[in-house]
Amino acid sequence: IYISGSPHLLLGLFKITPSKFGFYFAGNALAVIIGNFIALRLTKIFSSEQVQLSASFLAFVGAVALILLSHNTSNVFMVVIPMFFVTTGVGGMFPTATGNALKAISQHIGQASALVTFIRFGSATIITLIVAHLDFSSCQEFSMLVLICSFTALIVSIIHVKNASALLVN
């Protein structure tokens, strides 16, 4: 959502300069790296399911903050800072969710990994098509889409943790 919508949002609505846009976008890339790094460290202490759930929760909290703050279109930081937390959560979710999805597979791991990647890129394509039709006269549609996607990721993570716990009990 951020990759597709940030040019319209930051350059169009907030009227930032193209050079500043590069810095804001780099901050988003940094958030992904930080999320990956933290997730890697936390999986040495906690289960990957717990880390995935925590990362999903961080993304959701960031999305809620985005909804609450994004009505202020005079200050770009009301969007950039909450999105940093959303993206940090996403950065932590990607490796743990992929690893968790592949844990149960003992054969055809390459095909399973390709399917996970296909689902990720297919979802991104659908989201990009939705973002292309957003009205960027305010941040509300953008923020709501971020909230819906982060909430969906949180629900999927909760279900996965419950299923993983049930498998351990059996």
Side-chain angles (χ1 to χ4, degrees):
I1 299 166
Y2 189 78
I3 290 170
S4 303
S6 62
H8 300 289
L9 197 64
L10 300 180
L11 296 169
L13 182 63
F14 288 100
K15 308 289 186 216
I16 65 166
T17 63
S19 61
K20 284 185 180 177
F21 176 77
F23 285 111
Y24 291 129
F25 204 81
N28 189 59
L30 180 63
V32 172
I33 294 167
I34 290 170
N36 271 266
F37 180 79
I38 291 171
L40 176 65
R41 297 293 182 252
L42 289 177
T43 54
K44 294 178 181 175
I45 302 167
F46 303 101
S47 73
S48 59
E49 289 83 10
Q50 291 171 316
V51 175
Q52 177 185 340
L53 183 59
S54 298
S56 301
F57 185 72
L58 176 62
F60 178 71
V61 169
V64 169
L66 181 65
I67 287 284
L68 296 174
L69 298 173
S70 66
H71 66 280
N72 181 356
T73 55
S74 63
N75 189 341
V76 70
F77 292 107
M78 297 298 171
V79 170
V80 173
I81 291 173
M83 278 307 302
F84 184 86
F85 289 99
V86 171
T87 309
T88 301
V90 169
M93 270 189 281
F94 278 168
T96 54
T98 301
N100 289 335
L102 298 178
K103 268 186 192 177
I105 307 295
S106 59
Q107 296 178 356
H108 310 291
I109 294 175
Q111 291 170 329
S113 177
L115 178 61
V116 168
T117 302
F118 173 77
I119 291 169
R120 182 179 298 156
F121 280 98
S123 300
T125 301
I126 292 167
I127 294 297
T128 299
L129 292 172
I130 293 169
V131 170
H133 291 90
L134 293 182
D135 173 22
F136 286 99
S137 60
S138 76
C139 295
Q140 296 310 308
E141 291 178 349
F142 175 87
S143 301
M144 191 55 86
L145 188 57
V146 171
L147 182 67
I148 290 167
C149 289
S150 64
F151 181 72
T152 302
L154 180 60
I155 295 301
V156 168
S157 294
I158 290 169
I159 292 168
H160 176 74
V161 167
K162 284 184 178 181
N163 289 340
S165 297
L167 287 174
L168 289 175
V169 171
N170 293 332

